[in-house]
Amino acid sequence: MTRALVSVPKTARRGEIVDIRAMIAHPMETGYRMGPNGAEIPRHIITRLVCTYGGDEVFAAEFFPAMSANPFVSFSLIAAESGTVSFAWTDDTGQTETASAEIVVS
């Protein structure tokens, strides 16, 4: 189970450009390192991140082994309507985690 810190403004004016940020606490283990006992540490990375707003996909990213642990993502979007900004990330084991935050547009 991973956890995410999501930063979405609580309020915005219609048409305003807002910054969205997320940091996902995840080891992003590449599968190339050796553990203290000399055994290879198995690969375990986030492979895809998707952000939706108002039911529409507004941002998506694919991650690869070169990503650092605890990936941080930042992007902008135009505040069009009040609603939920949702994040979903999937790791290479197929497990999907989610986080969300509300934004009120006036």
Side-chain angles (χ1 to χ4, degrees):
M1 186 70 92
T2 59
R3 74 188 162 84
L5 299 173
V6 175
S7 173
V8 175
K10 291 187 186 306
T11 61
R13 290 186 312 262
R14 188 173 312 280
E16 182 179 358
I17 297 173
V18 295
D19 291 325
I20 309 297
R21 297 179 186 97
M23 187 193 74
I24 304 165
H26 193 280
M28 297 295 283
E29 202 48 74
T30 64
Y32 300 129
R33 294 185 328 133
M34 297 295 178
N37 60 357
E40 189 176 277
I41 298 172
R43 177 180 155 147
H44 185 213
I45 66 169
I46 295 171
T47 55
R48 183 154 170 83
L49 170 69
V50 176
C51 178
T52 59
Y53 170 52
D56 296 324
E57 185 177 298
V58 293
F59 180 84
E62 289 186 27
F63 296 149
F64 298 92
M67 279 296 288
S68 66
N70 307 319
F72 174 80
V73 176
S74 178
F75 61 94
S76 300
L77 61 80
I78 297 173
E81 61 188 30
S82 296
T84 304
V85 178
S86 299
F87 295 84
W89 58 96
T90 306
D91 65 18
D92 53 1
T93 65
Q95 182 177 356
T96 299
E97 301 279 341
T98 61
S100 62
E102 297 291 323
I103 185 170
V104 177
V105 176
S106 56

